Amino acid sequence: MEHRKLGSTGLRVSSVGLGTMTWGRDTDELEARDQLDVFLDAGGTLVDTAASYCEGSAEEVVGALMTDHVDRRELVLVSKAGVRTWRTGARATVADASRGALLDTLDDSLARLGTDHLDLWLVQVPDPTTPLEETADALRAAVVSGRTRYVGVSNHPAWASVRAADLLSCAGPGLAAVEVEYSLVCRGIERELVPAADALGFGVLGYAPLGRGVLTGRYRATTPPDSRGASPHLRSYVAPYLGEPYVGVVEAVATAATGLDRKPVEVALAWARDAPGVTAAIVGARTPSQLRGALSSDDLVLPAQIRHALDEITAIRTGYPERF
């Protein structure tokens, strides 16, 4: 597997990362162990988790594997903070990127992971109630204390990512990366975020490169009962891409796969992995066999004419001021 520099930093990450959103709930520890073995055997290093994934269970599973199964130094470990679940009265999840909440969550993450540092720590979602200056100060403090090597943001719009980069560049560690959704059915980051990353030197990690599973073709006829689309936990996560506007994209990926004698999952992942400006594509799987299917795209370089056709079919609308 190819390894790439993360933006202008010295950190190198595998071109495909392993997502752990379902670990500790839909994916048990044994399946997670097998997935990690498959991933490492393929040359992967980037493992992505978050304090919010399965209410901390994903981090606990990753931590257990680093304790008795894999050397911590084999992994480029990414986690995220900034989402808080309140259990007083009705259960609710809200953004909380205040200094105290972020640093407390970081300490909790490190305890669950059984490590003294992360390689990359991200603020998971924007928090409109906390000044970005305060959030940036917490990120700076985490680096200074040695609890993380690099910092960044996730799911933030371009203007906020650029502002965070500006704040962190002033006597600070700099913004190493942004993590955002990116696939053939979600290309919005191409308007402003990718150009900003190129200009300012931060890396782009794209999650859900398979369109939350839709681009695999699994939902072309129906929703399989064992799929994420049928899961009570993840049904709402998949649903946005099951509508009529995305049927043509799914069929185009399937057609390209047939022409290349490959599987749709390979075509979708290869497209996102090698898109201009993308450092790595983060793919999650429920089972080891699903992960093997995705990683089999490692040797696939899409022919220029096929990439162009997929680009044209899924092109996003741009106008002023992106195109002037």
Side-chain angles (χ1 to χ4, degrees):
M1 188 181 298
E2 182 185 2
H3 287 213
R4 302 167 176 170
K5 281 187 63 177
L6 185 65
S8 59
T9 74
L11 182 63
R12 300 189 71 86
V13 300
S14 53
S15 59
V16 175
L18 178 61
T20 64
M21 186 177 67
T22 63
W23 286 20
R25 185 179 58 206
D26 303 293
T27 302
D28 62 29
E29 187 171 337
L30 181 59
E31 290 173 320
R33 177 189 295 252
D34 290 343
Q35 281 194 31
L36 187 58
D37 286 343
V38 169
F39 181 65
L40 293 176
D41 287 346
T45 59
L46 178 64
V47 175
D48 179 78
T49 190
S52 63
Y53 289 173
C54 303
E55 299 183 347
S57 294
E59 289 183 331
E60 290 176 352
V61 172
V62 174
L65 292 175
M66 290 194 300
T67 297
D68 62 11
H69 188 63
V70 64
D71 190 325
R72 164 70 180 89
R73 290 168 291 185
E74 292 186 53
L75 308 181
V76 176
L77 188 58
V78 182
S79 193
K80 297 178 283 293
V83 174
R84 174 167 292 192
T85 301
W86 303 91
R87 291 186 176 82
T88 54
R91 183 175 180 274
T93 300
V94 297
D96 189 347
S98 64
R99 178 185 174 91
L102 287 177
L103 294 177
D104 284 348
T105 302
L106 175 57
D107 289 338
D108 291 342
S109 290
L110 294 176
R112 285 189 290 264
L113 291 163
T115 184
D116 63 355
H117 76 280
L118 297 171
D119 294 295
L120 176 64
W121 186 47
L122 306 171
V123 179
Q124 190 168 2
V125 294
D127 175 9
T129 68
T130 299
L132 201 50
E133 290 81 357
E134 180 178 338
T135 298
D137 188 57
L139 293 174
R140 187 181 297 110
V143 175
V144 170
S145 67
R147 286 176 281 180
T148 186
R149 302 294 194 248
Y150 298 92
V151 290
V153 296
S154 178
N155 297 305
H156 283 59
W159 71 264
S161 300
V162 169
R163 178 60 177 151
D166 181 52
L167 292 167
L168 289 166
S169 68
C170 299
L175 186 80
V178 296
E179 183 176 315
V180 282
E181 183 171 359
Y182 186 60
S183 72
L184 278 163
V185 293
C186 186
R187 295 178 59 184
I189 65 169
E190 295 175 14
R191 293 187 181 94
E192 294 186 338
L193 187 59
V194 170
D198 181 61
L200 298 180
F202 52 84
V204 176
L205 305 176
Y207 70 82
L210 308 181
R212 308 186 186 187
V214 172
L215 293 172
T216 65
R218 204 167 181 215
Y219 302 94
R220 291 170 77 187
T222 185
T223 299
D226 62 342
S227 67
R228 289 184 177 185
S231 164
H233 311 295
L234 297 170
R235 184 183 298 118
S236 61
Y237 178 71
V238 177
Y241 298 139
L242 292 178
E244 185 64 30
Y246 303 103
V247 171
V249 182
V250 174
E251 293 305 316
V253 171
T255 299
T258 299
L260 294 169
D261 195 24
R262 306 295 288 246
K263 296 179 180 177
V265 63
E266 298 174 74
V267 171
L269 182 54
W271 182 90
R273 179 198 65 207
D274 297 333
V278 172
T279 306
I282 299 171
V283 62
R286 189 179 60 83
T287 67
S289 61
Q290 289 176 349
L291 181 61
R292 287 190 190 92
L295 295 180
S296 62
S297 66
D298 186 53
D299 66 338
L300 176 60
V301 177
L302 294 180
Q305 63 270 30
I306 289 182
R307 176 171 284 279
H308 177 73
L310 292 173
D311 286 349
E312 288 291 306
I313 291 168
T314 63
I316 57 174
R317 295 181 62 183
T318 58
Y320 181 85
E322 295 93 352
R323 296 172 62 186
F324 181 68

